[in-house]
Amino acid sequence: MSASVALSVVIPVYNEELNLPELFKRLYPVLDGLGRAYEVIFTNDGSADRSFELLRAQHAARPDVTRVIDFNANYGQHMAIMAAFERVRGAVVVTLDADLQNPPEEIPALLAKIDAGHDSVGGYRISRQDSLFRTYASRLINFVRERTTNIQMTDQGCMLRAYRREIVDAIVRSGAINTFIPALAYSFSGNPAEVGVRHEERHAGVSNYSFYRLIRLNFDLITGFSLAPLQYFTMFAMACSAGSFVLVLILAGRRIFIGPEEGGLFTLFGILFFLISVTMVGIGLIGEYVGRTYQVVRARQRYHVREMLEVRA
Ligand code: UDP
Ligand code: MG
């Protein structure tokens, strides 16, 4: 690690040809104005448009401070950030969206918090500029996350964040896959802070997240950080089992003291419910083990870099 770089800015890019020129125009002056040695790492996440050509041109224009990772395919925003994390040279790392929803002008506010001694600074969006559906879906997932994990943050969906290098290195070492970077960073942070940041409408184009991809992402958040879904299932199944066991006892008692009812159908139901419940507990238990195994197994490399544009450090 060359300690000469103070700041690494990490930006995932997926089909952002309409936003990149404006991003370059606004981002670089802010960074030049900081008076710190910096680098910007763009990850081209398998864009199908001209994004990579624009990144190549930007690398040619500012080769000393611009690095570009080119994925061979689309691996998702968090993998794109992860690939950059594995290559950062800076002592502080800032993540940012390419669509200008996170104004680059807010970066100094994040850095001020880092300079004040925090190791991880999360932005939360003031007056969020997203569809009502996205805003409410995000509140719901906030609610679920607060109850199933011990991660405390105002706005896990805001990608404008700053981390000290130690946190980023810990994220990389964790080898986490299918991950949710802000949550992972939080779990390694000893002294997190938050700042309110402006949120703008997407400068151009539409969100890359379809309903399905949003669900997948939030599944990563919940299953990646807790086994609560499995545990609730097992708990529920155990309650069913206990209930069914009582039912079997009652039906057996009636069978003995009152005699056969409805041709023994009730007794049969009692036994059946009990056996089904036992099966459910079994599935839940297997789930527990599969979940634990999954936690260990998922640490494998999941992206491929086709090309790197950078000046050797
Ligand atoms: N992005 C990416 N790969 C993807 C989807 C998105 O690198 O598969 C990038 C995208 O270019 C942008 C950021 O991640 O820089 C956030 O994406 P988007 O604006 O579509 O998400 P939203 O703001 O709607 O959450
Ligand atoms: Mg966006």
Side-chain angles (χ1 to χ4, degrees), residues 57-105:
Q58 182 63 17
H59 177 255
R62 300 289 305 269
D64 49 327
V65 290
T66 309
R67 299 164 71 195
V68 181
I69 301 167
D70 186 30
F71 278 178
N72 68 315
N74 180 245
Y75 293 95
Q77 178 185 3
H78 293 256
M79 263 308 111
I81 295 174
M82 198 65 130
F85 276 8
E86 287 173 2
R87 293 164 174 81
V88 290
R89 295 174 183 152
V92 177
V93 180
V94 166
T95 57
L96 191 75
D97 281 351
D99 58 3
L100 291 160
Q101 286 200 283
N102 312 135
E105 294 78 14

Side-chain angles (χ1 to χ4, degrees), residues 23-222:
L23 175 70
F24 298 151
K25 215 163 79 195
R26 281 173 59 183
L27 176 67
Y28 282 79
V30 171
L31 298 178
D32 288 329
L34 289 173
R36 313 184 188 200
Y38 70 86
E39 63 173 4
V40 187
I41 308 181
F42 295 95
T43 306
N44 176 38
D45 187 16
S47 300
D49 65 359
R50 291 182 53 255
S51 294
F52 186 61
E53 278 93 286
L54 296 177
L55 292 173
R56 189 188 284 284
Q58 182 63 17
H59 177 255
R62 300 289 305 269
D64 49 327
V65 290
T66 309
R67 299 164 71 195
V68 181
I69 301 167
D70 186 30
F71 278 178
N72 68 315
N74 180 245
Y75 293 95
Q77 178 185 3
H78 293 256
M79 263 308 111
I81 295 174
M82 198 65 130
F85 276 8
E86 287 173 2
R87 293 164 174 81
V88 290
R89 295 174 183 152
V92 177
V93 180
V94 166
T95 57
L96 191 75
D97 281 351
D99 58 3
L100 291 160
Q101 286 200 283
N102 312 135
E105 294 78 14
E106 301 277 7
I107 292 176
L110 297 176
L111 295 179
K113 283 275 181 197
I114 293 277
D115 292 342
H118 296 283
D119 57 4
S120 139
V121 182
Y124 58 90
R125 295 166 283 193
I126 305 173
S127 70
R128 182 162 178 185
Q129 302 295 318
D130 270 324
S131 66
L132 268 184
F133 167 71
R134 278 293 292 271
T135 311
Y136 279 101
S138 165
R139 280 206 200 141
L140 173 71
I141 202 74
N142 244 322
F143 179 85
V144 175
R145 177 199 25 91
E146 259 163 37
R147 271 147 199 83
T148 57
T149 70
N150 51 9
I151 299 163
Q152 315 272 317
M153 60 175 74
T154 314
D155 185 2
Q156 77 255 332
C158 181
M159 278 299 152
L160 184 53
R161 289 170 181 275
Y163 311 107
R164 271 181 202 281
R165 177 61 175 276
E166 300 85 81
I167 302 287
V168 168
D169 288 345
I171 292 175
V172 170
R173 270 198 309 276
S174 77
I177 213 78
N178 282 339
T179 198
F180 202 90
I181 304 255
L184 198 56
Y186 181 89
S187 63
F188 293 131
S189 166
N191 184 11
E194 296 197 316
V195 283
V197 292
R198 273 180 302 127
H199 190 232
E200 294 176 6
E201 267 186 66
R202 207 170 210 288
H203 175 250
V206 290
S207 169
N208 293 304
Y209 280 102
S210 63
F211 183 59
Y212 171 71
R213 291 190 67 166
L214 269 182
I215 291 183
R216 285 248 322 260
L217 180 72
N218 287 306
F219 247 80
D220 287 347
L221 175 64
I222 301 303

